Amino acid sequence: MAGEFDIIAKYFMPLAGPEGLGLADDAACLTPSAGKSLIVTKDMIVGGVHFLEDDPADSIAYKALAVNLSDLAAKGANPRYYFLGLSLPKGVDEIWLASFAAGLKRAQDESGITLAGGDTTSSPSHVTVSITAIGDVPTGQMLRRNGARAGDTVYVSGTLGRGFGPQMPFGRDQCER
């Protein structure tokens, strides 16, 4: 398999926006819009816990980004950037990486979010994906869990507990066969 910098250049640089500095730096440069508050969320998914080891790589990537997009949406935030932490065991090949990147791209295209940075490392056993997503909302207008009041009407669409996107290719939160 290719080395870390080759993997980043081939699969993840095409997903990055200018704030990611070409994914060639150890940081990103984010500029909040005037009158906006930044909303930050983080989720991690682990093979054998949150998805099956033989699940398609594009579905794993889509799910990892979708759960963060769902958190931003719940706060009323517009998605802006995300950071990807990816830990891979030996045996992950270029076909898997290409599929994983395609799943991220699909979620990006549907939401308007862009990759701003991250880290890759090896893992002794399971694929682990950690995403930190950043969105923005007009200052003082973030929706909070404790915002509903008696008499309010609360609407729910889709399936409770399911992430962003109506056509999610997965529905298993626990990996049991």
Side-chain angles (χ1 to χ4, degrees):
M1 176 157 72
E4 178 183 13
F5 296 113
D6 295 327
I7 290 169
I8 292 167
K10 185 172 183 178
Y11 298 105
F12 302 121
M13 276 185 178
L15 302 176
E19 50 285 322
L21 309 174
L23 302 185
D25 213 314
D26 285 335
C29 183
L30 309 179
T31 304
S33 300
K36 301 279 183 163
S37 295
L38 293 179
I39 309 302
V40 181
T41 185
K42 177 168 201 54
D43 281 291
M44 184 181 313
I45 62 172
V46 178
V49 177
H50 301 102
F51 59 89
L52 299 172
E53 295 292 337
D54 61 351
D55 280 351
D58 61 329
S59 293
I60 295 166
Y62 189 93
K63 178 179 185 174
L65 190 48
V67 296
N68 284 274
L69 291 165
S70 176
D71 290 348
L72 291 177
K75 299 300 177 197
N78 294 312
R80 302 266 319 263
Y81 318 107
Y82 71 99
F83 296 84
L84 170 67
L86 184 60
S87 184
L88 301 171
K90 289 183 189 322
V92 171
D93 60 19
E94 300 266 340
I95 294 169
W96 191 95
L97 283 165
S99 178
F100 185 86
L104 289 175
K105 179 159 180 22
R106 184 165 59 98
Q108 279 188 210
D109 290 348
E110 291 175 10
S111 67
I113 201 165
T114 58
L115 181 63
D119 192 25
T120 57
T121 187
S122 63
S123 167
S125 58
H126 300 290
V127 170
T128 301
V129 184
S130 176
I131 291 183
T132 300
I134 300 173
D136 62 21
V137 64
T139 301
Q141 294 186 24
M142 181 186 82
L143 302 174
R144 302 213 28 191
R145 283 186 180 181
N146 64 357
R149 302 285 179 250
D152 285 353
T153 303
V154 178
Y155 295 89
V156 176
S157 64
T159 304
L160 290 176
R162 200 165 188 190
F164 167 83
Q167 70 285 14
M168 303 272 296
F170 44 80
R172 301 171 276 195
D173 289 326
Q174 297 297 319
C175 292
E176 298 175 10
R177 290 203 187 253

Coordinates of all heavy atoms in Angstrom, one line a residue, residues 13 148 164:
M13 N -6.7 15.1 -0.8 CA -6.5 16.5 -1.3 C -7.6 16.9 -2.2 O -8.0 18.1 -2.1 CB -5.1 16.6 -2.0 CG -4.0 16.9 -1.0 SD -2.5 17.2 -2.0 CE -1.3 17.5 -0.7
A148 N -36.9 23.6 23.4 CA -38.4 23.3 23.2 C -39.1 23.7 24.6 O -38.6 23.4 25.6 CB -38.6 21.9 22.8
F164 N -27.8 11.9 8.8 CA -28.1 12.8 7.7 C -28.4 12.0 6.4 O -27.7 11.1 6.1 CB -26.9 13.8 7.5 CG -26.9 14.6 6.3 CD1 -27.7 15.7 6.2 CD2 -26.2 14.2 5.2 CE1 -27.7 16.5 5.1 CE2 -26.2 14.9 4.0 CZ -26.9 16.1 4.0

